[in-house]
Amino acid sequence: VAALPEAVLSEENGLMVPVDNPERLGDALKRLIDDKDAREKMGRVARHTAQTRFDARTNYRKLVAVVQGMA
């Protein structure tokens, strides 16, 4: 999905795998199942990323500022 690289930083807050590559997807899932520490760390970082980069109120204010700047 085009916007995924904006949200997912591979090895930091998730794992990126190539499209249409079920083997790599399986490897990534197995890694997350087997590596509790990595899974928990990526989960914490993902939550922080979502809260700081994709907060609805913050993004609304940014959008309003952009639209007002166009007027």
Side-chain angles (χ1 to χ4, degrees):
V1 177
L4 270 180
E6 180 182 342
V8 178
L9 304 172
S10 194
E11 301 295 328
E12 291 184 36
N13 64 0
L15 299 173
M16 297 288 286
V17 297
V19 175
D20 297 328
N21 191 327
E23 294 83 17
R24 292 279 302 272
L25 177 59
D27 292 343
L29 291 171
K30 182 170 178 2
R31 178 176 169 206
L32 292 174
I33 290 167
D34 292 344
D35 190 343
K36 180 181 177 184
D37 292 337
R39 181 177 68 240
E40 289 178 351
K41 180 182 177 201
M42 284 187 224
R44 284 191 303 274
V45 175
R47 181 180 179 91
H48 180 263
T49 300
Q51 289 174 326
T52 58
R53 294 187 64 199
F54 302 103
D55 176 69
R57 288 185 186 102
T58 301
N59 287 332
Y60 172 78
R61 286 191 291 270
K62 288 178 184 178
L63 177 62
V64 168
V66 168
V67 171
Q68 288 175 342
M70 295 169 70

